[in-house]
Amino acid sequence: MKFNIFRNAPDGPGASGDPTEAPRMGGAVLPGAARSAGGETLTGPSDGTGGSADQPTPVAPPTPRPTGTGAGAHQEIKVAARDVSVFYEGKQALHDVSLDIRDKTVTAFIGPSGCGKSTFLRCINRMNDTIPSAKVTGRIEIDGADVNARSVDPVLLRARVGMVFQKPNPFPKTIFENVAYGPRIHGLVSNKDEMEQVVHQALRRAGLWDEVSDRLHSSATGLSGGQQQRLVIARAIAVNPEVILMDEPCSALDPIATAKIEELIDELRENYCIVIVTHSMAQAARVSQRTAFFHMGRLVEVGDTEEIFQNPREQRTLDYITGRFG
């Protein structure tokens, strides 16, 4: 089922038709886009504080087509970001990131701690909205739709764009109820039989069914760390998302549990667009088809994983993947 993440824009006096003028939950308002007489969107260059100069300049909209000629170049673009910047309490953490993320592909974000990988990841499903001091500028589209538009419901957006965090975070409920929670609150099932089918299928797809099928009504907190992380992935895919974001999903796991998660990621990419943040160069090389290298809040280089690791274009990329810094 594909979620309709849009809601009706408010009517009445004072209601604006510009989605960039809408307040965002807990965060700042995107700067309004100036439009020329011909309808072309114009924005000013950044002044370092998130504002715009008086004289606007054209900004190219995201282009929903693949780039490059490497493996997977034929696949369509699922997420398109243009000139995305993030500020926390006025301090810029991310600088003008433009990036295309392909569908049914694993894209790895690599780079030293504090370089902006997770900050950009959180922009895709508007998790930065929950931080009052955060301000996001630029544009991010999923299938051509602006995720920051006034009409987008962030709750439904996060169902369409699932997220798996660094540490497993199962609810203090049974295994069954953890997976059933999403389909229930979003009204995706109409009866008990449908719910059981959805839960069982999600657990199978997450590679957890054989290990928990005889204790579905036991507490999820009794599972091992690796099992809890796979349960969280099952919970995410139970609502049938289109994009799955993973923020260092294996950093708290042992090598055996990590191997199972990596095998699962490789299986899930056949049906989902997956973006993973990792500090492990070996993991990025194993699970991803595309890699983006971030440094000091900027996107330095992006390309096919094999190319990035064997023949990077930028010296900083080479220095990082060979362990000279970071």
Side-chain angles (χ1 to χ4, degrees):
M1 174 181 179
K2 185 172 182 178
F3 280 93
N4 177 14
I5 62 174
F6 298 97
R7 55 192 172 196
N8 294 329
D11 298 321
S16 171
D18 187 350
T20 62
E21 295 177 2
R24 302 170 62 205
M25 183 178 68
V29 178
L30 283 173
R35 296 184 183 276
S36 67
E40 182 180 16
T41 301
L42 306 172
T43 67
S46 171
D47 61 7
T49 62
S52 298
D54 292 335
Q55 296 298 323
T57 55
V59 173
T63 305
R65 64 172 66 94
T67 58
T69 58
H74 63 285
Q75 290 169 320
E76 65 182 36
I77 300 304
K78 188 69 176 179
V79 181
R82 292 295 180 271
D83 302 318
V84 175
S85 295
V86 179
F87 303 82
Y88 295 116
E89 297 181 347
K91 184 176 180 180
Q92 191 163 4
L94 203 66
H95 300 260
D96 302 317
V97 172
S98 294
L99 176 65
D100 288 337
I101 300 174
R102 295 173 183 167
D103 197 11
K104 295 181 175 57
T105 300
V106 179
T107 301
F109 291 172
I110 62 173
S113 297
C115 69
K117 306 183 300 295
S118 295
T119 295
F120 180 72
L121 192 79
R122 292 165 61 91
C123 292
I124 298 174
N125 66 347
R126 288 177 54 172
M127 287 296 292
N128 285 320
D129 287 12
T130 63
I131 303 174
S133 63
K135 178 181 179 181
V136 181
T137 63
R139 185 179 180 89
I140 297 179
E141 294 184 353
I142 298 179
D143 290 336
D146 182 8
V147 303
N148 291 308
R150 168 196 291 265
S151 55
V152 171
D153 185 332
V155 175
L156 294 182
L157 171 66
R158 292 170 195 145
R160 185 180 175 188
V161 185
M163 191 161 192
V164 177
F165 294 93
Q166 189 170 1
K167 293 183 179 180
N169 58 344
F171 300 145
K173 299 174 179 289
T174 66
I175 295 170
F176 185 94
E177 286 300 318
N178 263 268
V179 182
Y181 182 79
R184 180 177 292 120
I185 66 171
H186 290 295
L188 301 183
V189 295
S190 57
N191 56 57
K192 182 178 178 181
D193 290 339
E194 286 186 9
M195 180 63 79
E196 288 186 351
Q197 183 179 357
V198 168
V199 171
H200 294 179
Q201 182 182 24
L203 288 170
R204 286 190 175 96
R205 293 167 77 179
L208 194 57
W209 174 256
D210 291 341
E211 299 171 39
V212 302
S213 60
D214 58 345
R215 48 175 172 154
L216 294 179
H217 299 287
S218 299
S219 175
T221 57
L223 298 174
S224 68
Q227 289 174 327
Q228 288 185 9
Q229 195 68 301
R230 280 182 285 153
L231 177 64
V232 171
I233 294 173
R235 189 174 69 196
I237 64 179
V239 294
N240 199 22
E242 299 172 43
V243 181
I244 301 177
L245 311 177
M246 297 184 172
D247 193 358
E248 298 186 59
C250 302
S251 63
L253 304 181
D254 60 65
I256 295 176
T258 295
K260 290 183 178 180
I261 295 294
E262 290 180 357
E263 290 175 5
L264 174 59
I265 292 172
D266 191 56
E267 294 173 5
L268 291 176
R269 77 177 177 88
E270 297 180 3
N271 298 302
Y272 303 99
C273 168
I274 298 177
V275 186
I276 180 172
V277 169
T278 179
H279 282 285
S280 170
M281 298 300 97
Q283 183 175 73
R286 286 193 300 263
V287 305
S288 71
Q289 291 74 53
R290 299 275 293 173
T291 296
F293 171 55
F294 288 77
H295 186 241
M296 301 291 289
R298 300 182 186 276
L299 176 62
V300 176
E301 185 172 354
V302 61
D304 292 341
T305 296
E306 183 177 353
E307 178 183 345
I308 291 291
F309 279 87
Q310 294 185 5
N311 188 29
R313 297 185 299 274
E314 298 288 335
Q315 183 64 40
R316 279 180 293 173
T317 309
L318 178 63
D319 291 345
Y320 180 73
I321 63 178
T322 55
R324 294 178 186 172
F325 73 91

